[in-house]
Amino acid sequence: MIRFLFRRVVTALCVAVTVSLLTFVLLRMSTDPAIALAGEGASAADIERVRVDYGLDRPLLVLYGEWASRALHGDLGRSHALSTSVSKLLQERLPVTFKLGGLALIFALALALPLGVAAGTYPNSLADRVAMAISVLGQSMPTFWFGLILILYFGVYWRLLPISGDTTWAHYILPASALGFYSAPSVMRLTRAGMVEALSSDYIRTARAKGLLERTTILKHAFGNAMVPVVSLSAVQLGLMLGGSIVIETVFSLNGIGRLAWESIKRSDFDVMQAIVLVVALIYIGLMLAADLLNAYLDPRIRMS
């Protein structure tokens, strides 16, 4: 187990360094930071003076080395547009995105797991057809459109829930539902496939031959084995929700890192964009590492690979 953990941690660190380096280089290649710092209407002489004053005329690898060194000490730079530290911005915005992503994942699992188990246990039944219909609907419907429909009915017509802001938990119900409904189909399909495969296995036939209750056979034996790939997929989905919540946060006016990323792109705020990509990448890598460890705990064969 220690060897398995060591390999996964080393791989995660290599991925984090690679992502941060590529992001740093690509951002600097897309637009000259000196132009953004100098502001609109700046002359060529002013831009060159800013480039020299801020040390932006040095090689990219040197600049990346300095940025990485500061980042390791918790200094992610300063937003030139908002005149505040990037770390402070992330501390203010990250909790909103974490709440949204966590609630969206809970909604997705609460919807997908029961339907996936029912569809896999009774293939080609009414439950299977309902699950597949919901899966197709959720995967084909854009999140922003579904979010607007929720706002229209639950916020405007029926006035049951708030449609913007993030001050209370009620403000997260509609955006979490819109975001979770889009992620539920993939979890549902994988759960169904896992249940179909598990229920056709020899150990399930043996359990039934021993006279075990059907509920025990399905929930304890088949469901447990079907959940191994679902755990990894759930971690991937949560990472995608945290990193791709920009549309939902904009539609529902949530002040999370998704909306901050969009604002930073419009303002060419390089330090903020770099920090957001780094933080999201680290979160994603951490989720995948946690999923690997949980799968290794659920299936000992993985630890031997």
Side-chain angles (χ1 to χ4, degrees):
M1 186 63 180
I2 299 298
R3 184 180 178 184
F4 174 84
L5 177 61
F6 178 76
R7 291 203 308 267
R8 291 296 188 272
V9 171
V10 171
T11 303
L13 291 175
C14 292
V15 171
V17 172
T18 302
V19 169
S20 66
L21 177 58
L22 287 176
T23 305
F24 189 91
V25 173
L26 291 175
L27 282 176
R28 265 57 182 184
M29 290 176 63
S30 63
T31 306
D32 189 349
I35 297 177
L37 291 172
E40 296 183 4
S43 63
D46 293 334
I47 294 174
E48 187 61 30
R49 184 164 55 253
V50 168
R51 182 179 290 109
V52 174
D53 291 342
Y54 283 86
L56 299 175
D57 54 338
R58 292 173 296 171
L60 280 177
L61 288 180
V62 174
L63 295 174
Y64 171 76
E66 292 182 353
W67 176 86
S69 177
R70 294 196 304 269
L72 289 175
H73 292 86
D75 181 9
L76 296 175
R78 189 171 182 84
S79 169
H80 69 81
L82 300 177
S83 299
T84 186
S85 68
V86 177
S87 299
K88 183 179 179 181
L89 285 174
L90 293 180
Q91 289 174 4
E92 294 172 352
R93 302 292 189 99
L94 272 175
V96 175
T97 301
F98 279 138
K99 290 177 186 177
L100 175 61
L103 291 174
L105 180 63
I106 292 173
F107 177 87
L109 294 178
L111 176 65
L113 292 182
L115 288 174
V117 170
T121 305
Y122 307 104
N124 301 317
S125 64
L126 178 61
D128 189 15
R129 296 181 187 279
V130 170
M132 290 301 102
I134 294 176
S135 176
V136 172
L137 182 64
Q139 200 74 63
S140 60
M141 195 163 46
T143 54
F144 72 88
W145 185 85
F146 186 47
L148 293 175
I149 293 298
L150 293 178
I151 289 174
L152 186 63
Y153 282 94
F154 288 91
V156 178
Y157 290 163
W158 301 333
R159 298 185 179 277
L160 297 176
L161 293 168
I163 60 176
S164 64
D166 49 46
T167 53
T168 66
W169 284 101
H171 288 85
Y172 291 91
I173 295 178
L174 294 183
S177 300
L179 192 60
F181 191 69
Y182 182 77
S183 299
S186 55
V187 178
M188 189 188 307
R189 290 196 299 268
L190 189 59
T191 303
R192 180 190 183 277
M195 290 297 296
V196 170
E197 181 180 357
L199 290 172
S200 63
S201 301
D202 292 336
Y203 68 89
I204 294 296
R205 286 192 287 269
T206 302
R208 286 170 170 165
K210 290 181 178 180
L212 288 180
L213 294 175
E214 186 68 10
R215 183 176 61 181
T216 303
T217 303
I218 293 174
L219 296 181
K220 183 177 180 180
H221 297 285
F223 182 70
N225 285 279
M227 282 301 98
V228 173
V230 174
V231 170
S232 297
L233 180 61
S234 299
V236 171
Q237 290 297 324
L238 180 56
L240 292 175
M241 290 176 190
L242 295 176
S245 61
I246 177 172
V247 174
I248 291 297
E249 290 182 4
T250 302
V251 170
F252 290 92
S253 298
L254 298 175
N255 291 314
I257 60 172
R259 191 175 180 186
L260 178 63
W262 171 244
E263 295 168 351
S264 301
I265 292 171
K266 292 192 297 182
R267 295 189 295 250
S268 297
D269 209 339
F270 290 93
D271 283 349
V272 178
M273 288 189 286
Q274 176 76 29
I276 290 174
V277 172
L278 176 64
V279 169
V280 171
L282 290 176
I283 292 172
Y284 194 90
I285 292 168
L287 290 171
M288 294 305 301
L289 179 61
D292 286 342
L293 296 178
L294 183 56
N295 280 336
Y297 173 77
L298 294 174
D299 189 352
R301 294 173 297 178
I302 297 177
R303 298 197 296 265
M304 305 304 295
S305 61

